[in-house]
């Protein structure tokens, strides 16, 4: 394997160059997200820049597969699954697809990844974690990709947790994700020159799901601690989705009811992205501390963190109904 610094630099540079090229492509093809009542931006902005992150991670996974770093069948199924999720997202960025078709492709990718883990000796529980994590995180990252820098910075921070705990080649893939997010971030924050698009948000969710499934079965820490760095997105996306379902609205349609969207309307994109980053960094710190001698206090800290997240969600969404028909 290459030295860590070389690996990080290669992934960073590849993503930065790819993002620059994707801006030129999006402008040429007129792939623009227009502002509107259900959007959080004010000017037309190119989309689909996440293709650069996906391409970098595909190349990284193929190199790991070629070098024999990590389980071969799982890495092969991961690469194919990422191609499926990113491919349907790339198609949707060019020509909107039906939610059912996107979900069907995501389900196929989830099943492929689950099979890969099981074929390489993983338990049925690990395969189930892989399948369900893909369906959840791909859509969570899509729902939460609505303001400058939020989805990509959260993915980079969450990946840091997997760097220290993921087994075999998965830790190298986590490093590649961190570097790729850093390579994309200057183009997306504080002012967005391009958005991730469905290709990027779906791709990030898929990679994080694979890292979660690989690490949860590694017995290097209590599996539930892996959800602490994910808490900000899971709380906001999960509770907002539940509210929309309870109200009987079309929950899959674009909207501005997430806590981060309402906070951005009042405080601007940068403050909200940094605030979510600070919350996730706290969850990441608790996860890392679990490796040392403070184990008796970690469950209490985790409950406090989750309680704070739910309280913040309620405060930010004050005035938005969760019950009754529209």
């Amino acid at each position: 394997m290459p030295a860590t610094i070389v690996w990080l630099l290669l992934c960073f540079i590849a993503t930065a160059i790819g993002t620059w090229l994707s801006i030129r492509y999006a402008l040429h093809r007129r792939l623009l997200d227009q502002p509107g009542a259900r959007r959080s931006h004010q000017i037309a902005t190119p989309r689909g820049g996440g293709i650069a992150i996906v391409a970098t991670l595909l190349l990284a996974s193929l190199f790991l597969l070629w070098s024999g770093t990590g389980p071969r069948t799982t890495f092969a199924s991961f690469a194919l699954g990422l191609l499926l999720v990113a491919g349907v997202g790339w198609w949707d960025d060019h020509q909107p697809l039906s939610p059912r078709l996107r979900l069907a492709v995501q389900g196929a990718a989830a099943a492929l990844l689950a099979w890969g883990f099981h074929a390489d000796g993983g338990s049925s529980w690990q395969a189930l974690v892989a399948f369900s994590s893909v369906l959840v995180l791909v859509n969570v990252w899509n729902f939460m990709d609505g303001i400058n820098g939020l989805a990509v910075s959260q993915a980079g921070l969450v990946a840091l947790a997997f760097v220290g705990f993921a087994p075999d080649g998965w830790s190298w893939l986590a490093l590649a994700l961190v570097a790729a997010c850093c390579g994309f971030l200057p183009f997306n924050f504080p002012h967005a020159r391009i958005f991730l698009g469905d290709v990027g948000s779906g791709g990030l969710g898929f990679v994080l799901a694979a890292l979660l499934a690989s690490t949860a079965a590694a017995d290097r820490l209590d599996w539930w601690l892996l959800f602490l760095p994910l808490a900000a997105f899971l709380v906001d996306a999960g509770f907002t989705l539940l509210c929309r379902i309870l109200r009987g609205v079309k929950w899959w349609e674009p909207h501005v009811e997430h806590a981060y969207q309402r906070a951005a309307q009042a405080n601007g994109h940068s403050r909200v992205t940094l605030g979510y980053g600070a919350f996730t960094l706290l969850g990441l710190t608790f996860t890392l501390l679990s490796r040392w001698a403070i184990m008796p206090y970690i469950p209490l800290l985790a409950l406090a963190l989750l309680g704070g997240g739910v309280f913040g969600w309620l405060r930010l969404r004050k005035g938005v109904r969760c019950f009754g028909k529209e």
Side-chain angles (χ1 to χ4, degrees), residues 55-274:
T56 296
L57 293 173
L58 276 173
L59 289 173
S61 63
L62 291 176
F63 176 81
L64 294 169
L65 181 62
W66 171 80
S67 65
T69 306
R72 299 183 69 86
T73 303
T74 310
F75 266 89
S77 64
F78 165 80
L80 290 174
L82 180 57
L83 271 175
L84 283 175
V85 170
V88 76
W90 182 244
W91 188 359
D92 193 60
D93 285 331
H94 287 73
Q95 180 179 339
L97 302 173
S98 72
R100 289 182 179 179
L101 176 59
R102 295 200 307 268
L103 187 60
V105 174
Q106 292 164 12
L112 188 60
L113 182 65
W115 172 82
F117 277 112
H118 196 268
D120 272 328
S123 65
S124 299
W125 178 82
Q126 186 182 27
L128 179 61
V129 170
F131 182 83
S132 56
S133 296
V134 168
L135 294 181
V136 171
L137 293 184
V138 165
N139 287 287
V140 163
W141 247 259
N142 182 265
F143 293 154
M144 298 295 289
D145 179 30
I147 64 173
N148 300 347
L150 182 62
V152 70
S153 63
Q154 287 290 305
L157 288 172
V158 173
L160 282 175
F162 297 116
V163 170
F165 296 107
D168 304 322
W170 293 106
S171 59
W172 286 99
L173 191 68
L175 280 171
L177 178 55
V178 172
C181 289
C182 290
F184 180 85
L185 192 60
F187 298 92
N188 187 241
F189 182 82
H191 303 291
R193 295 167 56 190
I194 192 166
F195 294 147
L196 282 169
D198 286 347
V199 60
S201 60
L204 288 175
F206 184 83
V207 177
L208 291 172
L211 291 171
L212 177 64
S214 66
T215 309
D219 293 329
R220 298 186 178 183
L221 77 168
D222 290 337
W223 63 268
W224 60 269
L225 289 166
L226 295 171
F227 289 94
L228 294 183
L230 292 162
F233 267 27
L234 292 180
V235 168
D236 196 348
F239 279 87
T240 302
L241 175 62
L242 179 61
C243 275
R244 290 178 62 78
I245 291 173
L246 290 175
R247 292 210 321 273
V249 301
K250 295 179 179 179
W251 54 267
W252 57 88
E253 291 185 344
H255 60 87
V256 287
E257 293 184 15
H258 286 289
Y260 80 87
Q261 292 170 318
R262 293 179 63 81
Q265 291 172 351
N267 303 292
H269 291 211
S270 296
R271 288 185 179 180
V272 176
T273 296
L274 292 174

